[in-house]
Amino acid sequence: MYRRIVVKLGTSVLTQGTQRLDRAHMVELVRQCAQLRRRGVEVVLCSSGAIAAGRERLADQEIPDTVRHKQMLAAVGQSRLMLYWERLFDLYELRVGQVLLTGADVADRSRYLNARSALRTLLDHGIIPVINENDAVATNEIKVGDNDNLSALVAILAEADLLLLLTDQPGLYTADPRTDPGARLIPQVRQIDETLRRIAGGSVSGLGVGGMATKLQAADSARRSGIDVVITSGHTPDAILQSVFREAPQEPGAPQEPGPAETSLPNSAAPADPAPTNHFLGTYFPAIDTPLESRKQWIFASQKPRGVLEVDQGAVRALQDGTSSLLPAGITQVSGDFDSGDAVRIVDGDGAEIARGISRYDSHDMHRIRGLRTESARERLGDAFHTPVAVNRRDMILM
């Protein structure tokens, strides 16, 4: 039994593929959350839909498809969306609290910890947090639709056991099911690699701005933090309950039907075990056995890489032994425009990502000291030289 779950609801789930919020379906989602609460499971909602709610409210106006108009729609729709959630949960005598976040709120370590404290306090008082990105001011989030990655961050903040990503597809397929009739659902994934990332496609409905690629990113962040992840269709009856219990709710003594057959796939995308379900239809990502420590969870989930450091084979070996920091002497190429404190990808000569971490120098100074030993780097930078390492081991995640 999971203790605490985060449920991410995409716009297409809340609208049922229409241009309006589907109140009847929202009631059904709330009913399932209330049933979980009665069974002792804490629930956090990451709810999209503010822009859709604003568009519905201003249906008599022709709204251009620009960022500033989307911000306007979000400003109009967010209070309306929250009003719906409050009224629906009140039917089950459950209280909700709104939390609006932006990327800046979680990229900064102190603000991240403040957000964690606020979220935990809501849960401690039996309040269901309803979280959304602050689309009225967060232009980048509107463009990339990062509520998927936000939900992974929220799952980490809340120390959840399960992240449930409800979308307009039953899960991850071996190919794009919209164009390939032979595409098969992948019931379980134990490793997220380039094969899976190539499979991931874009948004199907056009109502939201997220796609399967961002859900894979979210799944990777959450499972590295010790959190199970499920991607499944929000249109399936009892989708939340099925995902939590991996079976459709049944009356006591009802016969159990066999689970779906395991899909045979090449490479690491192949499920390692039979899907642990009876009626469950979706893709299950089990948490890794050795999750990242708290600070590295934050780095991986909240810091978008701004640059790339290519390193030589000696540096690759030193990093992979698990104890070494990255020194400037091992860096062969620097790309991207980044500041000190930004995340960077560390790759080998073939471009394969070896690690990810926080750069101690900006891209300009990193260019100047790449390939240099400590004394030479000190002479090159002068007063700007403040540390002999480019990326410290404690700020680095091996990939």
Side-chain angles (χ1 to χ4, degrees):
M1 170 73 75
Y2 291 111
R3 175 183 56 90
R4 182 177 297 158
I5 73 167
V6 172
V7 181
K8 188 269 179 178
L9 301 168
T11 299
S12 61
V13 173
L14 297 179
T15 60
Q16 290 284 71
T18 70
Q19 295 296 321
R20 302 175 61 86
L21 292 175
D22 188 326
R23 279 68 154 183
H25 189 55
M26 292 173 70
V27 170
E28 170 58 19
L29 295 170
V30 169
R31 178 193 66 80
Q32 295 177 62
C33 292
Q35 187 170 337
L36 289 178
R37 284 294 300 269
R38 287 196 295 270
R39 298 190 186 193
V41 180
E42 293 181 324
V43 178
V44 179
L45 287 189
C46 275
S47 175
S48 300
I51 293 176
R55 186 175 285 111
E56 176 184 330
R57 183 68 180 87
L58 302 178
D60 58 335
Q61 301 183 32
E62 187 170 335
I63 309 297
D65 189 25
T66 66
V67 170
R68 65 188 181 92
H69 285 94
K70 288 180 180 178
Q71 291 175 314
M72 178 193 72
L73 291 172
V76 172
Q78 185 59 49
S79 58
R80 187 176 179 87
L81 176 66
M82 194 61 199
L83 178 63
Y84 291 150
W85 287 129
E86 184 174 18
R87 288 176 173 174
L88 295 178
F89 276 102
D90 191 52
L91 294 173
Y92 297 90
E93 299 183 344
L94 293 172
R95 297 168 296 175
V96 298
Q98 178 179 246
V99 179
L100 294 178
L101 296 173
T102 67
D105 294 321
V106 290
D108 179 83
R109 181 66 174 169
S110 62
R111 293 167 70 178
Y112 171 90
L113 295 175
N114 286 337
R116 183 175 70 180
S117 176
L119 187 57
R120 289 177 176 177
T121 302
L122 286 169
L123 291 168
D124 288 344
H125 285 76
I127 299 169
I128 296 176
V130 179
I131 299 170
N132 195 1
E133 290 196 85
N134 195 353
D135 288 343
V137 298
T139 58
N140 287 337
E141 284 75 12
I142 288 178
K143 291 179 181 177
V144 302
D146 240 3
N147 262 5
D148 292 318
N149 282 302
L150 178 65
S151 68
L153 275 164
V154 170
I156 295 169
L157 286 168
E159 297 180 313
D161 308 300
L162 172 69
L163 170 61
L164 173 57
L165 301 172
L166 293 183
T167 182
D168 47 16
Q169 289 289 303
L172 181 65
Y173 282 81
T174 56
D176 189 340
R178 296 167 292 174
T179 59
D180 187 345
R184 294 165 293 162
L185 182 69
I186 304 173
Q188 183 164 294
V189 172
R190 287 194 175 275
Q191 180 178 342
I192 297 174
D193 57 15
E194 290 306 315
T195 301
L196 283 181
R197 293 188 179 97
R198 285 194 296 270
I199 288 173
S203 176
V204 174
S205 66
L207 295 167
V209 282
M212 199 58 72
T214 58
K215 290 170 179 59
L216 276 187
Q217 294 169 7
D220 202 15
S221 297
R223 61 189 295 273
R224 287 174 182 268
S225 301
I227 302 167
D228 287 351
V229 181
V230 167
I231 300 176
T232 192
S233 172
H235 308 308
T236 302
D238 282 321
I240 297 175
L241 296 176
Q242 287 191 39
S243 298
V244 171
F245 298 107
R246 303 285 201 285
E247 60 185 19
Q250 298 189 9
E251 295 299 324
Q256 299 292 310
E257 298 181 13
E262 186 173 331
T263 302
S264 176
L265 295 173
N267 303 323
S268 59
D273 301 311
T277 84
N278 286 327
H279 296 266
F280 170 70
L281 184 65
T283 303
Y284 169 60
F285 301 76
I288 65 172
D289 295 331
T290 54
L292 297 171
E293 60 189 71
S294 177
R295 176 175 172 79
K296 292 186 178 181
Q297 291 176 15
W298 166 72
I299 291 173
F300 188 83
S302 68
Q303 303 296 304
K304 295 182 179 180
R306 304 294 183 185
V308 178
L309 305 180
E310 183 180 316
V311 299
D312 59 29
Q313 284 303 306
V316 170
R317 289 191 295 270
L319 295 179
Q320 290 181 334
D321 74 7
T323 59
S324 300
S325 297
L326 176 63
L327 302 179
I331 301 173
T332 58
Q333 297 291 335
V334 178
S335 59
D337 184 10
F338 54 89
D339 293 323
S340 173
D342 283 344
V344 293
R345 298 172 60 242
I346 302 170
V347 304
D348 64 15
D350 296 324
E353 188 171 10
I354 304 302
R356 189 176 299 180
I358 302 299
S359 176
R360 291 299 186 92
Y361 289 97
D362 62 29
S363 52
H364 174 72
D365 285 342
M366 198 71 83
H367 271 290
R368 297 178 64 196
I369 62 175
R370 65 179 177 87
L372 299 181
R373 296 190 178 277
T374 299
E375 288 307 314
S376 298
R378 191 191 308 274
E379 292 176 5
R380 177 69 59 86
L381 292 186
D383 292 341
F385 184 87
H386 57 86
T387 175
V389 302
V391 180
N392 193 286
R393 184 73 210 174
R394 67 179 183 178
D395 294 334
M396 187 188 306
I397 301 109
L398 287 178
M399 302 297 291

